[in-house]
Amino acid sequence: MTTTNTTTPTTDPLLSVEALRTQFQTEDGTVTAVDDVSFALERGEVMGIVGESGAGKSVTAKSIMRLVPYPGEIVSGSIRFDGEDLLERSEKEMQRVRGNEIALIPQDPMTSLNPVLTVGQQIIETVRLHQDVSESEAREVAIDAMEEVEIPDPESRIDEYPHEFSGGMRQRVLIAIGLACEPDLIIADEPTTALDVTTQAKILELLNDLRETHDVAILMITHNLGVVAQTCDRVGVMYAGNLVETGPVTDIFDRPRHPYTRTLIDAIPEVGANRNRLYALDGSMPDLQALPDGCNFADRCPHATDDCRVGPDPELEAVPGAPGARAACIRTDELDLSEPAVGDGTGHRRREEHTEPLLEVRNLEKHFPAGDGLFGNLSFTRTDGGSLTLERRYVKAVDGVSFTINRGETVGLVGESGCGKSTVARTVMQLLEPTGGEVYFDGHPLHDLGKSKIRSLRQEMQIIFQDPKSSLNPRKTVGQIIGRGMEKHGIATGDEKRERIETLLERVGLQAGDIDKYPHQFSGGQQQRIAIANALAVEPDLIVCDEPVSALDVSVQAQILNLLDDIQDEFGLSYLFISHNISVVQHLCDRVAVMYLGKIAEFGSVEQVFEPPYHPYTESLLSAVPHANPDARTERILLEGTVPSPLDPPSGCPFHTRCPKKIGPECERDEPRPEPVGENDDHTIACHLSCEAMSEPLVGRSSESEAKQL
């Protein structure tokens, strides 16, 4: 739900950026990453900056902080903060501003936190740097800051190290560091990109609370338009280093004034929407070293005319009749962009019924030994009689998972980080040896086959990883990467191999001439296309997609999802699709398995899982999805606590420690088994509640563990 800013602005804005230009001097020429950017931010206001990767969002943030890395430099413009131009301050003066008056929350907390210092030491260091307080006083400030961002038991956890915190809790630590000195402005650079929906919802609620209680202004940099719609007052849309549109968040989503904004909104897969083909913006961002004549967006714009391709790039100007709205488009007055763009009309998703099993997983288990000390995973435990006994301890990452994937079908695995999704994928692929259970692929018992036989079957089972940059060999060309599998499995060699690679590259939306390029010469979305081509090269029947679009912006995400759709239809592939993005799963998948703490809580078709009755955990996941509609009033169910440790899982229902619908001792005592919902054997839920109780919404419902509502 959008929080409207009720703060009465002062005469001067807190932050005023005017005609900012930031350039990087490279061997190939000058790259203008931020070009003539101007905007203002009032006290207590939240402004979102959105756009594709490479648009200049993060460089804008670093410019405000005066943290642009070499060989970059701010060449012109002004950055006035609280009435003073930051560009006129010395580096020593800026060190007093950073962290004290302006705080930065970076995207990746694990690389931003020092792994050899406790979180307390890192917060205390910031406090003592900017405030004249003793060590003990700084520690109290740090504890208060951790408590304010809702880190449980801050008095003891202050002495823990970053690796002892979950991803969401590490992000809270970064926010605590930023809050410790009570700044006036927080710059949040993609603060929720890598987080699952429940953790993301908590972080967004926290930022909203901080804004209301401390009157903190927030500059939210993100490619998630759902986050912008639910948290921001105003929006700035960036493209090729420029702001192409700014305005109130409601106006931006109701009636965008720039075609680029319209395409970004249309590319979002919405929960509850139809599953037609996504609108995907063709092409990519222009080369910032050689920008085209006229509008930078003209070559990709569905509304461009010849006039758009001559003269200078349009300036950001006020839109008549729309208070606070500005757009950089010469056709703003004549275009009505209030309705979604119409795609090419092809590719309405075919939801055929698939009944021939390709992959069967039965009671799959993967337990990792806990501990690597003197006694390995042996530990002493005290029996009921009081005596000590040695027992082996295991992390039960996957604990009795069963599902099937039929030929030509897509099955999704969803759940919070740490629930076991990726471990399921790697164990199914036999990249990890299962502890127990059975895995059948096309009738072959993978759990009983030797390694040599499994290697031969890997031709038919491929995997696409989340980060293509780390999965593609940087020392090999695209042709060498894709061709290796072809040679290994005897599919093609020599000229035939090269022809097949060039055809594959064109099939995934690249150029045949890209065959001799290296991975670093491609954008993130293009690298993911190379990874898809690499998986297709050996003509598999099953592709495991492990978070393949989680780090991509919405336009590239739409391109990749449409590509996966097209390839599935063309080759009859099956997918195991792993994601924490509920919207993407609903759009792409035929059936869905909801995982929690190594077990499947609910399994069924997309329609069955996303409509009541559903497991309370599924309900909480769905409620946490930020909808790209500022007017949508979503009742978020913010689960208390975090996922329990798989080293010591709770008795009974694994979800009972956080369940807002827990009904009594049976939830704590007895583990529920998957049961059909009504007479439908295809839809199963592991819960002690009746279907009627599961269908009852949490709003206004009293329970042992009240659900917080936002």
Side-chain angles (χ1 to χ4, degrees):
M1 182 174 66
T2 306
T3 305
T4 304
N5 180 28
T6 58
T7 303
T8 302
T10 57
T11 304
D12 295 321
L14 175 67
L15 176 70
S16 177
V17 177
E18 293 289 340
L20 178 66
R21 178 174 285 118
T22 302
Q23 296 179 338
F24 290 82
Q25 302 298 330
T26 70
E27 293 180 357
D28 298 325
T30 300
V31 176
T32 304
V34 178
D35 190 10
D36 198 28
V37 166
S38 301
F39 65 91
L41 185 63
E42 304 290 349
R43 296 178 187 274
E45 184 181 34
V46 180
M47 180 176 180
I49 302 290
V50 300
E52 294 173 284
S53 298
K57 307 185 300 294
S58 293
V59 177
T60 299
K62 291 176 181 177
S63 299
I64 294 171
M65 298 285 288
R66 295 268 306 274
L67 290 174
V68 179
Y70 179 83
E73 62 174 336
I74 301 171
V75 296
S76 62
S78 67
I79 305 170
R80 301 192 70 81
F81 176 75
D82 204 12
E84 296 188 29
D85 193 344
L86 297 182
L87 297 183
E88 296 179 355
R89 292 195 174 190
S90 66
E91 176 58 26
K92 188 173 182 179
E93 290 173 328
M94 281 303 302
Q95 289 175 1
R96 289 196 290 268
V97 171
R98 300 185 197 115
N100 190 30
E101 299 174 53
I102 305 176
L104 175 66
I105 302 174
Q107 178 174 349
D108 185 1
M110 199 58 195
T111 57
S112 303
L113 295 171
N114 191 326
V116 301
L117 296 179
T118 66
V119 298
Q121 288 173 314
Q122 296 180 65
I123 302 174
I124 290 169
E125 179 184 30
T126 302
V127 174
R128 298 205 68 190
L129 179 66
H130 296 292
Q131 299 183 19
D132 184 19
V133 295
S134 65
E135 181 82 19
S136 60
E137 290 172 325
R139 183 180 176 88
E140 289 301 317
V141 172
I143 291 174
D144 290 343
M146 292 177 67
E147 185 174 14
E148 191 162 17
V149 298
E150 298 183 5
I151 294 176
D153 193 16
E155 291 84 358
S156 60
R157 300 213 71 181
I158 191 173
D159 296 316
E160 294 181 1
Y161 290 86
H163 73 271
E164 298 179 86
F165 289 75
S166 68
M169 285 297 164
R170 286 195 290 266
Q171 193 65 278
R172 288 171 185 260
V173 170
L174 285 180
I175 297 175
I177 293 174
L179 281 179
C181 296
E182 300 181 356
D184 296 315
L185 170 64
I186 293 177
I187 300 177
D189 189 1
E190 299 279 10
T192 62
T193 295
L195 303 179
D196 52 64
V197 288
T198 54
T199 305
Q200 174 181 265
K202 290 182 179 180
I203 295 298
L204 295 180
E205 184 207 26
L206 174 61
L207 290 175
N208 269 332
D209 289 345
L210 295 175
R211 173 263 195 95
E212 292 176 357
T213 56
H214 294 274
D215 200 27
V216 176
I218 300 175
L219 185 64
M220 178 79 72
I221 296 172
T222 180
H223 61 243
N224 189 328
L225 291 177
V227 169
V228 169
Q230 299 299 309
T231 61
C232 296
D233 302 308
R234 289 191 303 117
V235 185
V237 182
M238 288 196 73
Y239 185 82
N242 300 108
L243 277 172
V244 297
E245 182 170 5
T246 62
V249 65
T250 303
D251 292 350
I252 290 284
F253 282 87
D254 285 349
R255 187 181 177 183
R257 310 288 175 161
H258 195 284
Y260 179 58
T261 309
R262 178 75 266 173
T263 60
L264 290 181
I265 296 172
D266 291 341
I268 306 170
E270 279 280 1
V271 170
N274 61 49
R275 282 176 270 175
N276 294 342
R277 185 178 179 83
L278 291 172
Y279 183 89
L281 182 61
D282 292 331
S284 57
M285 197 86 63
D287 186 349
L288 297 181
Q289 293 177 250
L291 292 173
D293 292 334
C295 175
N296 292 334
F297 185 60
D299 288 342
R300 304 172 74 191
C301 180
H303 304 284
T305 64
D306 291 341
D307 292 339
C308 298
R309 295 180 169 88
V310 296
D313 188 44
E315 295 184 2
L316 193 67
E317 296 179 342
V319 177
R326 302 168 72 198
C329 177
I330 64 173
R331 302 193 62 197
T332 297
D333 294 342
E334 56 187 285
L335 292 177
D336 182 3
L337 302 175
S338 57
E339 295 297 325
V342 178
D344 56 13
T346 64
H348 285 290
R349 287 200 44 73
R350 298 187 292 109
R351 294 285 170 178
E352 299 177 357
E353 185 175 355
H354 305 280
T355 57
E356 183 185 352
L358 175 65
L359 179 73
E360 297 178 81
V361 178
R362 303 175 185 171
N363 297 315
L364 183 65
E365 295 180 347
K366 180 56 186 176
H367 299 171
F368 296 94
D372 55 1
L374 179 62
F375 296 103
N377 67 328
L378 288 171
S379 65
F380 288 100
T381 59
R382 193 172 297 277
T383 64
D384 293 339
S387 60
L388 292 176
T389 181
L390 272 176
E391 69 172 24
R392 296 191 181 275
R393 303 185 70 201
Y394 294 92
V395 175
K396 298 179 179 180
V398 179
D399 196 22
V401 165
S402 300
F403 62 91
T404 61
I405 301 178
N406 297 323
R407 290 188 180 276
E409 182 185 41
T410 301
V411 171
L413 275 181
V414 300
E416 293 171 286
S417 299
C419 72
K421 305 186 300 293
S422 294
T423 305
V424 167
R426 285 160 174 74
T427 309
V428 164
M429 294 282 292
Q430 304 298 301
L431 300 175
L432 295 173
E433 185 177 350
T435 304
E438 302 173 340
V439 180
Y440 294 89
F441 178 78
D442 200 16
H444 298 284
L446 300 185
H447 53 282
D448 282 341
L449 298 180
K451 291 184 178 180
S452 60
K453 182 62 175 176
I454 289 174
R455 278 196 292 268
S456 67
L457 285 174
R458 285 235 173 90
Q459 175 185 348
E460 302 172 37
M461 301 183 295
Q462 292 293 300
I463 188 166
I464 300 171
F465 294 99
Q466 176 177 352
D467 183 9
K469 184 177 294 185
S470 61
S471 62
L472 299 175
N473 191 330
R475 294 188 293 271
K476 301 289 186 181
T477 65
V478 168
Q480 291 171 327
I481 292 170
I482 299 175
R484 182 174 180 271
M486 290 184 178
E487 291 183 353
K488 183 176 181 180
H489 294 286
I491 293 175
T493 57
D495 292 341
E496 182 187 358
K497 181 185 72 173
R498 186 176 181 89
E499 290 176 6
R500 290 174 68 95
I501 294 171
E502 290 176 345
T503 301
L504 266 178
L505 289 175
E506 291 177 343
R507 183 63 196 83
V508 299
L510 298 173
Q511 303 294 322
D514 293 334
I515 190 172
D516 296 317
K517 294 181 180 179
Y518 290 86
H520 74 271
Q521 296 176 271
F522 297 87
S523 67
Q526 290 173 324
Q527 289 174 348
Q528 197 61 284
R529 291 172 183 266
I530 295 169
I532 294 172
N534 188 38
L536 290 172
V538 294
E539 302 175 352
D541 292 321
L542 172 70
I543 296 181
V544 176
C545 305
D546 191 0
E547 298 277 12
V549 297
S550 64
L552 303 179
D553 53 64
V554 289
S555 57
V556 178
Q557 173 183 273
Q559 293 174 1
I560 297 299
L561 292 178
N562 286 342
L563 174 61
L564 291 173
D565 254 349
D566 295 341
I567 289 171
Q568 183 175 46
D569 289 343
E570 182 176 346
F571 297 102
L573 297 174
S574 299
Y575 294 137
L576 175 60
F577 193 88
I578 297 167
S579 179
H580 60 245
N581 189 323
I582 305 295
S583 306
V584 168
V585 168
Q586 188 193 34
H587 173 80
L588 190 72
C589 297
D590 300 294
R591 292 189 294 157
V592 181
V594 181
M595 284 196 67
Y596 186 81
L597 204 61
K599 301 178 184 292
I600 291 181
E602 181 168 4
F603 187 72
S605 69
V606 166
E607 292 79 8
Q608 292 165 342
V609 171
F610 290 167
E611 293 291 338
Y614 28 45
H615 194 285
Y617 180 57
T618 307
E619 185 179 7
S620 68
L621 291 180
L622 291 172
S623 76
V625 177
H627 296 278
N629 181 357
D631 298 323
R633 295 181 176 270
T634 303
E635 298 288 352
R636 288 184 186 156
I637 305 163
L638 302 179
L639 298 177
E640 297 177 354
T642 58
V643 179
S645 170
L647 179 62
D648 187 22
S651 60
C653 175
F655 186 56
H656 85 260
T657 59
R658 305 170 72 200
C659 181
K661 289 187 175 182
K662 188 174 68 172
I663 56 176
E666 60 265 42
C667 293
E668 302 177 6
R669 182 186 63 239
D670 304 323
E671 181 181 341
R673 299 298 178 185
E675 298 288 345
V677 177
E679 298 179 357
N680 194 337
D681 293 339
D682 297 330
H683 184 199
T684 60
I685 295 179
C687 183
H688 291 300
L689 290 170
S690 65
C691 288
E692 291 76 14
M694 283 187 281
S695 299
E696 181 183 349
L698 277 166
V699 180
R701 184 184 190 277
S702 178
S703 66
E704 288 186 35
S705 176
E706 282 294 331
K708 290 183 180 179
Q709 301 299 326
L710 180 61

